[in-house]
Amino acid sequence: MTVANNEATGASPAPAPSDFIRDIVAQHVAEKKYPRIHTRFPPEPNGYLHIGHAKSICLNFGIAREFGGVCNLRMDDTNPTKEDIEYVESIQADVNWLIAGWADDQLGLKSEAKPFFASDYFEQIYEFAIALIQKGKAYVCDLTPDETDEYRRHAKPSPFRDRGVEENLALFARMKAGEFPDGARTLRAKIQVDAPNIWLRDPLLYRIRHAEHHHTGAKWCLYPMYDFAHCLSDYLEGITHSICTLEFEVHRPLYDWILESLDLPRALPHQYEFARLSLGYTIMSKRKLMQLVMEKLVRGWDDPRLPTISGIRRRGVTPEALRAFAYHIGITKYNGVTDVAVLEHAIREDLNQRALRRLAVLRPVRVVITNFPEGKMEELDAVNNPEDESAGKRKIPFSRELYIERDDFAEVPPPKFFRLKPGGEVRLKYAYIIKCDEVIKDAAGNIAELRCTADLDSKTGGATAGRKVKGTIHWVSAAHAVDAECRLYDRLFTEAEPEKDGRDFKSVLNPHSLEVVTAKLEPGLKDAKAEERYQFERLAYFALDPDSKPDRPVFNRTITLRDTWAKEAGKA
């Protein structure tokens, strides 16, 4: 087996993950069972992809990458009433982002460099349905949808089950021609009405839907059901390993029955199931995510608080971090909830290695260094990334007036407060030791300014540079500061299981999941780049948001430096 790159850290490559599906594939490779391993990622374009899909993408593309195979991107677009080109385009963007530079060589596309669509095969799937009718294995049923559900639930045969082949063929052709309204007739497989597995109780293969399709337009009014189209699409594309989440395990007998009933000449694909991702403090239901979007409880599908891949990307998480998370949590047959702290750890590990360090003050209070000359500016050396010597250093301006973080000063400090206080000293990072001499307040009693003196020999290389003080804080030169909007994102829910005991998930939305502040940044951040990641020292990791303007950058907080939720939980 090959190895997985560790692009995030530049460290030695880590071994590729091992799990029961990869073990099966490895055995098939050793046996030379297939000319080439061929997987697929087949989302329905009825919403945006989320982090659960990222796990599946990493599994399917990872297997193709590790075993020298191909992974098709296919839209399972069999339901025209819920699907949209917007979702198709977002899925393509998300997949391309997640696999770029990692498994894009394994991406299987159509000849015109577009994804596959189940709707590409509607003609062939229709012919397969005719073949089943001719074999006496499918029939046209006139029961209503409610009646069909009731008959299947009670293991009762449809009164239309024994229609003759010619009548079924004629009715099916008329269904295709658009002669019947929605819901009037369906095509059903003729399997076993009292099968213990309800999915084998004469399941629906086709339904009538007079609806425009995003890909085929008005050509069809007869659409295959997912179970019928999925296995046949796999077969037509030459898929060897059809990897699904665990809820499709009960569908596998139907998957096999359809393929085995058609006397197909080539090797048949086989379905394998794994446990889907469930993540704490998160919901994964597309329907409920759409509810949050439609009710404007978030700013859109790419809101950085959502678990959508587009939201995660906008927040500033890198594809390397997401892939590391997907690899770390593993592939199993057992459902469970993954602690969101595991994802957050993967993000911090990645960003710690790559993020450029910068100085920023989110909630500024002005500091005047009374013994530093007015109009003077010094340039100080600051490290770009202590984890990466090749990142080098940069120059930052220092002047008489600065901004520090409001939380870094306390007029009446609590015990073990090692930041600035009246009469107390701290070191300004990369600069001098300062002492607070005076607190200036406005008419309302709020702190307006701190007047301090600096030990002007305490800078690196100075006579008192080695003098010890307990606190070090960050700062920004007031005269050179860049104003920026900083969006401080946090977990969207206050509870690890938002739907626990059947409660409305919206009842535990976190009212503090977004705070917007006007921050003061060191001047170099005026030229911040969207592809770069930044650590605002002592605060958090940030990334530039697409809303940024040349004169007004906008930064999203990707994640805090430490797990503040764990700290709060420890107090409880």
Side-chain angles (χ1 to χ4, degrees):
M1 188 180 291
T2 59
V3 294
N5 289 334
N6 192 344
E7 312 102 317
T9 65
S12 300
S18 178
D19 52 66
F20 75 97
I21 294 180
R22 284 180 168 90
D23 291 344
I24 291 169
V25 177
Q27 183 178 342
H28 290 166
V29 170
E31 296 169 350
K32 299 182 178 176
K33 184 172 181 177
Y34 304 103
R36 180 176 64 176
I37 298 302
H38 206 149
T39 60
R40 84 291 171 271
F41 175 64
E44 183 182 358
N46 63 351
Y48 280 57
L49 299 183
H50 55 61
I51 193 170
H53 297 106
K55 178 181 177 180
S56 181
I57 293 168
C58 291
L59 174 60
N60 280 287
F61 279 93
I63 286 173
R65 178 176 181 269
E66 292 150 28
F67 294 98
V70 175
C71 180
N72 285 4
L73 172 59
R74 182 207 310 147
M75 306 295 163
D76 266 338
D77 54 344
T78 59
N79 187 350
T81 62
K82 292 187 177 181
E83 296 157 358
D84 193 276
I85 191 65
E86 174 191 351
Y87 302 135
V88 172
E89 291 172 351
S90 73
I91 289 168
Q92 288 180 259
D94 289 344
V95 171
N96 289 336
W97 173 79
L98 188 54
I99 69 171
W102 174 70
D104 39 1
D105 288 346
Q106 280 68 47
L107 175 59
L109 297 171
K110 291 191 295 192
S111 58
E112 59 269 35
K114 293 182 179 178
F116 295 95
F117 292 84
S119 55
D120 291 334
Y121 313 123
F122 278 179
E123 289 285 358
Q124 292 153 289
I125 294 170
Y126 178 78
E127 292 300 324
F128 284 132
I130 289 175
L132 287 180
I133 295 172
Q134 290 170 334
K135 287 172 169 285
K137 294 186 175 183
Y139 62 94
V140 174
C141 180
D142 297 359
L143 292 177
T144 67
D146 288 342
E147 289 170 338
T148 302
D149 288 344
E150 182 183 352
Y151 274 56
R152 294 184 72 202
R153 189 166 55 251
H154 295 291
K156 291 171 55 179
S158 166
F160 308 99
R161 195 171 194 264
D162 295 324
R163 267 179 169 148
V165 169
E166 295 305 320
E167 184 182 2
N168 282 318
L169 288 172
L171 286 171
F172 193 52
R174 292 172 65 192
M175 289 166 65
K176 182 189 177 189
E179 292 187 25
F180 308 117
D182 290 1
R185 286 188 162 97
T186 58
L187 183 72
R188 295 176 63 181
K190 194 173 185 179
I191 307 179
Q192 182 184 345
V193 295
D194 60 351
N197 182 341
I198 197 168
W199 293 101
L200 295 179
R201 293 184 182 180
D202 287 13
L204 274 65
L205 303 181
Y206 268 91
R207 70 283 180 85
I208 300 169
R209 287 270 170 92
H210 291 273
E212 191 93 359
H213 189 280
H214 72 93
H215 192 55
T216 60
K219 182 177 180 181
W220 292 87
C221 63
L222 184 66
Y223 292 94
M225 301 298 290
Y226 169 84
D227 280 322
F228 192 53
H230 182 76
C231 61
L232 293 171
S233 299
D234 282 349
Y235 172 76
L236 291 167
E237 292 176 13
I239 302 304
T240 57
H241 299 76
S242 181
I243 302 168
C244 303
T245 46
L246 207 55
E247 66 266 29
F248 289 98
E249 187 172 30
V250 290
H251 296 239
R252 188 180 351 127
L254 176 57
Y255 184 102
D256 293 339
W257 181 90
I258 293 168
L259 295 175
E260 291 165 1
S261 296
L262 286 165
D263 301 325
L264 299 170
R266 298 198 316 269
L268 303 180
H270 187 75
Q271 179 176 300
Y272 305 87
E273 305 87 16
F274 69 99
R276 69 191 306 167
L277 174 64
S278 295
L279 194 63
Y281 294 93
T282 308
I283 57 168
M284 297 291 198
S285 162
K286 276 187 186 177
R287 179 177 59 82
K288 290 171 182 173
L289 291 174
M290 185 174 286
Q291 193 176 343
L292 291 173
V293 173
M294 294 298 116
E295 294 181 15
K296 301 189 184 304
L297 297 170
V298 292
R299 294 183 171 185
W301 282 103
D302 65 346
D303 188 301
R305 291 167 291 182
L306 290 180
T308 55
I309 295 178
S310 57
I312 290 168
R313 178 167 69 247
R314 185 168 187 171
R315 189 161 178 156
V317 176
T318 68
E320 291 86 354
L322 208 48
R323 294 198 299 263
F325 167 70
Y327 269 26
H328 178 75
I329 58 176
I331 302 298
T332 70
K333 273 273 192 181
Y334 308 101
N335 286 318
V337 178
T338 299
D339 190 336
V340 73
V342 177
L343 170 63
E344 293 170 346
H345 175 75
I347 296 170
R348 289 188 180 98
E349 285 283 296
D350 172 72
L351 293 177
N352 183 49
Q353 299 293 327
R354 73 170 68 244
L356 296 172
R357 274 47 170 183
R358 295 293 184 263
L359 296 181
V361 176
L362 300 183
R363 299 172 181 86
V365 61
R366 186 177 292 271
V367 171
V368 177
I369 309 298
T370 56
N371 63 332
F372 195 87
E374 290 189 35
K376 180 181 178 181
M377 187 273 286
E378 281 188 65
E379 284 193 327
L380 307 177
D381 288 328
V383 174
N384 284 327
N385 187 339
E387 305 293 328
D388 179 8
E389 284 189 18
S390 67
K393 295 182 178 181
R394 70 191 186 283
K395 296 291 186 181
I396 53 174
F398 183 90
S399 59
R400 176 184 171 90
E401 295 191 10
L402 312 171
Y403 292 113
I404 68 167
E405 204 71 53
R406 190 166 295 275
D407 288 347
D408 281 337
F409 175 78
E411 196 169 11
V412 181
K416 297 183 179 180
F417 184 82
F418 299 127
R419 288 163 283 169
L420 195 60
K421 57 189 176 184
E425 290 186 316
V426 293
R427 179 176 290 279
L428 298 177
K429 190 156 192 181
Y430 306 121
Y432 302 98
I433 294 171
I434 63 169
K435 179 181 179 181
C436 180
D437 302 314
E438 185 180 2
V439 179
I440 308 297
K441 296 184 179 182
D442 61 19
N446 300 311
I447 296 172
E449 184 179 288
L450 303 175
R451 292 186 172 269
C452 302
T453 50
D455 178 349
L456 297 177
D457 291 320
S458 61
K459 187 176 67 174
T460 299
T464 58
R467 189 159 69 84
K468 302 295 184 184
V469 291
K470 287 188 175 180
T472 300
I473 64 174
H474 61 279
W475 53 275
V476 172
S477 169
H480 306 89
V482 172
D483 285 343
E485 178 181 316
C486 285
R487 299 171 181 173
L488 309 182
Y489 290 104
D490 204 347
R491 295 177 184 175
L492 186 56
F493 296 98
T494 58
E495 297 289 337
E497 298 178 64
E499 298 175 278
K500 186 177 181 180
D501 299 327
R503 69 183 165 203
D504 179 1
F505 68 97
K506 293 184 293 183
S507 68
V508 290
L509 282 169
N510 179 8
H512 307 296
S513 62
L514 172 60
E515 181 185 1
V516 180
V517 299
T518 298
K520 303 289 186 179
L521 315 182
E522 67 168 81
L525 283 168
K526 185 177 182 181
D527 300 317
K529 298 176 182 177
E531 65 272 16
E532 296 282 7
R533 301 294 180 269
Y534 302 93
Q535 184 194 106
F536 291 178
E537 296 204 45
R538 299 180 63 239
L539 297 172
Y541 295 101
F542 285 81
L544 198 67
D545 187 84
D547 287 345
S548 294
K549 301 289 189 295
D551 60 341
R552 181 74 171 185
V554 177
F555 285 88
N556 295 328
R557 183 171 69 185
T558 307
I559 197 165
T560 54
L561 297 185
R562 296 174 186 81
D563 185 351
T564 55
W565 286 74
K567 183 178 179 181
E568 289 302 313
K571 293 179 182 177

